Amino acid sequence: QVQLVESGGGLVQAGGSLRLSCTASRSIVTLNRVAWYRQAPGKHRELVAHITSAGTTNYADSVKGRFTISRDNAKNTVYLQMNSLEPEDTAVYYCNALNYYTLRPLNNWGQGTQVTVSS
């Protein structure tokens, strides 16, 4: 099982930007699909974006046009660039590897990284 560690969260004003990093304990070349999730207080964890090993991306409707997921296999890292942040984006953000076909998370959840957007 690969260990994934999230970082890069913080406090930002509405309209601002953050870049989150998801760094793996080993090569991510064999991770066919990696995703970012988020969980706001009192809400279920939701899938935000995912990226395949070929670079194909998919986004939740709520973040399309504002967030960009990317991966750097040489650095064993998957990024989430978040622009035009809104207070509704406030949540703990997690990353995980997914089963390529079922999209089910493969690993235990890490601690995540807190993103807080002030209005």
Side-chain angles (χ1 to χ4, degrees):
Q1 213 181 47
V2 62
Q3 289 186 320
L4 301 172
V5 178
E6 305 91 347
S7 63
L11 173 63
V12 64
Q13 288 188 330
S17 299
L18 282 174
R19 188 177 78 158
L20 306 184
S21 298
C22 170
T23 302
S25 57
R26 62 162 176 80
S27 172
I28 64 171
V29 170
T30 57
L31 297 183
N32 292 319
R33 202 183 290 273
V34 181
W36 281 97
Y37 289 76
R38 67 186 180 187
Q39 187 168 19
K43 295 188 177 182
H44 294 295
R45 187 175 284 143
E46 65 169 339
L47 180 60
V48 174
H50 54 91
I51 185 168
T52 69
S53 54
T56 302
T57 59
N58 191 280
Y59 299 91
D61 288 342
S62 58
V63 306
K64 278 182 183 176
R66 300 189 298 122
F67 290 11
T68 302
I69 188 171
S70 62
R71 61 193 291 165
D72 186 337
N73 290 342
K75 295 184 178 180
N76 298 337
T77 302
V78 174
Y79 301 100
L80 186 68
Q81 177 67 44
M82 306 186 296
N83 299 328
S84 302
L85 283 162
E86 304 167 352
E88 293 74 22
D89 296 316
T90 295
V92 179
Y93 284 72
Y94 303 87
C95 63
N96 210 326
L98 305 182
N99 179 286
Y100 185 84
Y101 299 102
T102 67
L103 301 187
R104 294 187 67 177
L106 295 175
N107 301 317
N108 295 326
W109 295 102
Q111 293 189 332
T113 185
Q114 175 71 49
V115 171
T116 303
V117 184
S118 63
S119 58

